[in-house]
Structures are given as C-alpha cells and as structure tokens.
C-alpha cells in the first residue's frame, strides 16, 4: 500500500506529487504478538517489493467511509487468540491519517505482553528526487520516558532534496514507544527479542541519517479472556514544523474516550 501527497494540494498550484512508502524497495507493514506462560507468538503482515510479502495473519478489509471521512477497517487474528482491528481514517485535504487499533483476546485464557507495531521505510521524495534521496534523517522527537506525554518519531528529507517533506508518527498513548534504524530488506525485527523496538527503545533526541525503517510499538500488558483495549496514532505527511503538525492533529480529536471492556485499568483511547 502506498501513500501519496501533493504539498500544495492535488490539482492546484505546482503539480508535484510523490509517494512516501512505495519508492525503491517498498516496505510498510505491521506486527503483532502475545505471550502465554512466557512463550511468545508473533505475526507479521507486510510487503517488501511487489514480489515479496508476508501475511501471517488472515485479514478482511471493509470500506467504512462516511461522508467526507474516508475510512477502511481491517480485522485480523493471530493464533486464534489475538484479534487485531485497524481502522484507518482521513478527511478530505487532511495532511495525516488516523489509525485506531483495538486488540482483543478472543481465547478462553489470559495472554500477556500483547503488542502491536506499525513500521515503514520512509522514502519521502525519492519519486521526484532520484535514487540519492532514499536516505532520511530519522529522529526520536518525543518519548514518555522523557516526560513529554507523547511519542513522536520523524523521518525528514535531507537539505539537498528538491522538496522538503516529513513523515511523522505521533501517539499520545503512554504505552507507545518509537524506534528507528530497523532493517527492512528483508525485515529482521522481532517485537520481543529486538530490545530496541520496545524494552530498550531509543531515547529522546536519538537520530541517524540512513535508509532504514522507523516504527512505533505498543505493549498493552495482560488481556484476560474476552478483554480488549483501544489506542490510536497518527501518520502525518507534510513539510510543516512539528508544532503545526501536532496542533492540527489535536484539533481533529474529539474529547478523549475511556473504554471499559474488561478488568484492566489500562483500557483507554486517547
């Protein structure tokens, strides 16, 4: 799946559209996992180029658009135990899309350390800049560990690029942690054994200039039988400064919703 943008709008101004995900070796996907008695079960759904894909988790997709809010909902199941619902939404002319994730334990027993990761190789302006622009400046801008109250990872084009553009992943859910420098061709990340993804995620300010993947991961802890929890994140595609990006994201939100679908106090949507 690709995601294209035209920084001054499609059909107006300068016709200069480009795709953030598809250029070069296309890579975008998501991982999920859980543990039972300490033993991890993991799955990965992703695409690496048009000929190499991994779909561990059977998935159905439905069009859930309404009016000017375009939306699709994908539902998958890992190991007949963890159900992953992903609702992807964006409004007309929005510079970002919102992803709402619901993880549900559909088994008869408890599961621990249920995790979800969204991962991408950002190639922001390679479409119009040529092969020298696969490299981006990948930075962990904010973390909960630093007391920021948010997790943000950014992939920014080099100053020599013909157009400046940023891919920003943003979450205000305290269970989120950002990572960078991940291998994607082929993808080798494991959401449990690779500590840089979550358990020892990079600190605020960590940065590198490279052609690598960035990611954001959530660990929602224990889910008892039938219990679910929901969180959301945003993926912004623009050239705006981070303060403007965050202001637009926050302005799009309805008041925070608290969900109580089980016994855990961590069930929430922020």
């Amino acid at each position: 799946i690709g995601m294209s943008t035209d920084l001054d709008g499609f059909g107006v101004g300068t016709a200069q559209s480009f795709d953030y995900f598809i250029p070069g070796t296309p890579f975008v996907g998501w991982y999920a996992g859980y543990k039972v008695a300490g033993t991890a079960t993991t799955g990965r759904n992703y695409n690496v180029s048009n000929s190499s894909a991994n779909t561990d988790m059977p998935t159905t997709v439905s069009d859930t658009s309404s009016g000017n809010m375009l939306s699709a909902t994908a539902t998958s199941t890992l190991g007949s135990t963890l159900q992953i619902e992903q609702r992807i939404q964006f409004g007309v002319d929005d510079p970002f899309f919102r992803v709402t994730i619901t993880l549900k334990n559909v088994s008869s027993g408890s599961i621990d350390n249920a995790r979800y990761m969204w991962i991408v190789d950002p190639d922001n302006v390679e479409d119009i800049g040529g092969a020298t622009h696969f490299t981006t400046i990948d930075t962990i801008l904010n973390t909960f560990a630093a007391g920021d109250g948010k997790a943000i990872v950014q992939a920014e084009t080099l100053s020599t690029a013909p157009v400046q553009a940023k891919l920003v992943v943003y979450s205000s859910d305290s269970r989120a942690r950002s990572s960078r420098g991940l291998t994607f061709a082929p993808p080798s990340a494991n959401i449990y054994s690779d500590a840089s993804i979550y358990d020892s995620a990079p600190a605020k300010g960590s940065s590198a200039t490279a052609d690598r993947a960035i990611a954001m991961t959530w660990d929602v802890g224990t889910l008892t039988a039938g219990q679910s929890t929901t969180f959301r994140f945003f993926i912004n595609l623009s050239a705006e400064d981070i303060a403007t990006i965050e202001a637009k994201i926050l302005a799009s939100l309805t008041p925070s919703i608290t969900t109580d679908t089980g016994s855990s106090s961590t069930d929430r949507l922020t």
Side-chain angles (χ1 to χ4, degrees), residues 158-180:
L158 303 181
S159 60
T160 54
V163 175
Q164 295 303 301
K166 301 173 183 176
L167 189 158
V168 173
V169 187
Y170 172 100
S171 178
S172 60
D173 188 285
S174 61
R175 299 168 291 188
R177 297 183 185 177
S178 302
S179 51
R180 60 160 187 80

Side-chain angles (χ1 to χ4, degrees), residues 121-221:
D121 165 38
D123 291 319
N124 300 5
V125 298
E126 194 279 333
D127 265 352
I128 58 175
T132 59
H133 297 290
F134 287 119
T135 298
T136 52
I137 305 168
D138 304 332
T139 306
I140 308 298
L141 293 180
N142 296 97
T143 67
F144 282 92
D148 297 329
K150 56 196 171 187
I152 304 178
V153 59
Q154 172 183 276
E156 185 176 15
T157 51
L158 303 181
S159 60
T160 54
V163 175
Q164 295 303 301
K166 301 173 183 176
L167 189 158
V168 173
V169 187
Y170 172 100
S171 178
S172 60
D173 188 285
S174 61
R175 299 168 291 188
R177 297 183 185 177
S178 302
S179 51
R180 60 160 187 80
L182 303 176
T183 301
F184 61 88
S188 59
N190 181 293
I191 56 175
Y192 294 110
S193 62
D194 187 342
S196 69
I197 288 175
Y198 197 85
D199 296 317
S200 299
K204 177 180 179 178
S206 173
S207 184
T209 300
D211 183 15
R212 294 293 188 191
I214 61 173
M216 190 169 285
T217 306
W218 292 256
D219 187 314
V220 304

Side-chain angles (χ1 to χ4, degrees), residues 48-73:
V48 183
S49 79
N50 294 328
S51 60
S52 176
N54 193 85
T55 52
D56 288 337
M57 294 162 280
T59 300
T60 59
V61 181
S62 58
D63 184 349
T64 48
S65 300
S66 178
N68 288 333
M69 181 60 71
L70 306 178
S71 174
T73 300

Side-chain angles (χ1 to χ4, degrees), residues 105-131:
N105 179 3
V106 294
S107 75
S108 58
S110 292
I111 59 175
D112 301 317
N113 296 110
R115 290 186 179 182
Y116 171 92
M117 177 175 74
W118 189 84
I119 182 171
V120 65
D121 165 38
D123 291 319
N124 300 5
V125 298
E126 194 279 333
D127 265 352
I128 58 175

